[in-house]
Amino acid sequence: VRSLALHLSLGPPAALGLGLLAVVLPPVIDSDTSVLSEPMFLALAAIVASTLTGIVAAGADRRRSFVLVTALAAACLTRYLGVGLVAGSFLALVVGTSQRSFTSIRRAVLLPALAVVPLSLWFLRNIVVGGSATAADYGATSTPLLGHVLDDLSGIGSWYTGHSDGALPLVVGALAIVVLLGAVVGRGQGRRPAAPAALLCCAYLGTVLFAQSIVGLDTDDRFLRPVAPLVPVLALSLVRTWWSVALPQVRPWWWPSRLVPGLVAS
């Protein structure tokens, strides 16, 4: 999380503060006190987000590309929902490519494709040994899509409010989604610095929602937790972009020095 904040030029003090905040977030603590695969997946998701942001900002970098492919592959093997990270990486690489050349598009396709190879081999092994790709039997879900959406929003909001009952977690969860979408389209200094990580989070959340509504995966906020420590980073980046870019452009129109005389003249 600290590395991602530094990639977004938020400054060392803010990066350190956001890193410490990530350590004490309830979903991170809940994951780290379990003996399941969530702690590894949570760390891998943050590594992917930081590395992807660095690749898009700096262009082709073999060392970073190797780290990205390795982390993506490990995330897929840790949790099948790591495919959402692969999809998000592909979108971010394509959107972040300034020149639509054959080489750049090939690289954008190649990195996620390499990351899925170990998972494909694991699926093949499961089919040969157990007759099922996932070695598990997920039934169809009876919960409507809107129900999954509301539950997921409440789950996201509960990370920051401390409880999951009532309307407040739902509102906070919806604001987190607004932050992610704003970071995707928000421009700073003529570019979109936070777009790669925000696209990654949106694609991952979409994959979770698909798995819950189609495959029959239980609604559980543990599948959403990789997004929890990244939202504050993207929110601060979005505020910084708005303050440094959007506000100066709007200020001449609403600033009191021009607004008040205009009202008096009217």
Side-chain angles (χ1 to χ4, degrees), residues 236-262:
L236 187 57
S237 175
L238 192 61
V239 170
R240 180 178 176 273
T241 298
W242 178 79
W243 185 265
S244 61
V245 178
L247 186 61
Q249 295 176 359
V250 177
R251 183 176 297 172
W253 297 101
W254 64 267
W255 207 243
S257 61
R258 297 192 179 188
L259 181 63
V260 174

Side-chain angles (χ1 to χ4, degrees), residues 193-262:
L199 270 173
L200 182 78
C201 292
C202 290
Y204 175 74
L205 289 177
T207 305
V208 173
L209 185 62
F210 172 80
Q212 290 174 342
S213 59
I214 306 298
V215 182
L217 196 67
D218 293 335
T219 299
D220 192 325
D221 76 313
R222 76 176 188 273
F223 298 119
L224 308 172
R225 287 172 186 170
V227 178
L230 302 180
V231 168
V233 183
L234 296 174
L236 187 57
S237 175
L238 192 61
V239 170
R240 180 178 176 273
T241 298
W242 178 79
W243 185 265
S244 61
V245 178
L247 186 61
Q249 295 176 359
V250 177
R251 183 176 297 172
W253 297 101
W254 64 267
W255 207 243
S257 61
R258 297 192 179 188
L259 181 63
V260 174

Side-chain angles (χ1 to χ4, degrees), residues 26-243:
V28 179
I29 294 176
D30 291 343
S31 292
D32 289 345
T33 54
S34 70
V35 292
L36 302 176
S37 57
E38 279 84 354
M40 291 184 292
F41 186 56
L42 195 66
L44 289 168
I47 291 172
V48 168
S50 176
T51 306
L52 182 66
T53 304
I55 289 178
V56 173
D61 188 325
R62 291 187 176 182
R63 185 177 61 179
R64 283 178 176 167
S65 299
F66 178 78
V67 172
L68 177 63
V69 170
T70 304
L72 281 173
C76 287
L77 289 175
T78 306
R79 299 207 68 84
Y80 295 146
L81 287 172
V83 173
L85 299 180
V86 176
S89 299
F90 172 74
L91 289 174
L93 288 172
V94 171
V95 173
T97 301
S98 57
Q99 298 179 349
R100 294 294 191 273
S101 63
F102 174 76
T103 302
S104 61
I105 298 299
R106 183 182 62 182
R107 181 174 65 92
V109 174
L110 182 62
L111 294 183
L114 288 176
V116 181
V117 170
L119 182 63
S120 302
L121 295 176
W122 175 248
F123 283 160
L124 180 62
R125 176 261 178 199
N126 289 341
I127 293 174
V128 172
V129 175
S132 172
T134 61
D137 183 19
Y138 293 114
T141 177
S142 59
T143 305
L145 179 61
L146 181 60
H148 286 296
V149 172
L150 295 177
D151 288 342
D152 287 345
L153 289 178
S154 295
I156 293 174
S158 67
W159 302 336
Y160 310 105
T161 62
H163 57 85
S164 57
D165 299 327
L168 182 60
L170 187 63
V171 173
V172 173
L175 288 176
I177 300 300
V178 170
V179 166
L180 294 179
L181 295 177
V184 170
V185 301
R187 292 184 175 274
Q189 307 299 329
R191 57 192 183 93
R192 294 179 293 175
L199 270 173
L200 182 78
C201 292
C202 290
Y204 175 74
L205 289 177
T207 305
V208 173
L209 185 62
F210 172 80
Q212 290 174 342
S213 59
I214 306 298
V215 182
L217 196 67
D218 293 335
T219 299
D220 192 325
D221 76 313
R222 76 176 188 273
F223 298 119
L224 308 172
R225 287 172 186 170
V227 178
L230 302 180
V231 168
V233 183
L234 296 174
L236 187 57
S237 175
L238 192 61
V239 170
R240 180 178 176 273
T241 298
W242 178 79
W243 185 265

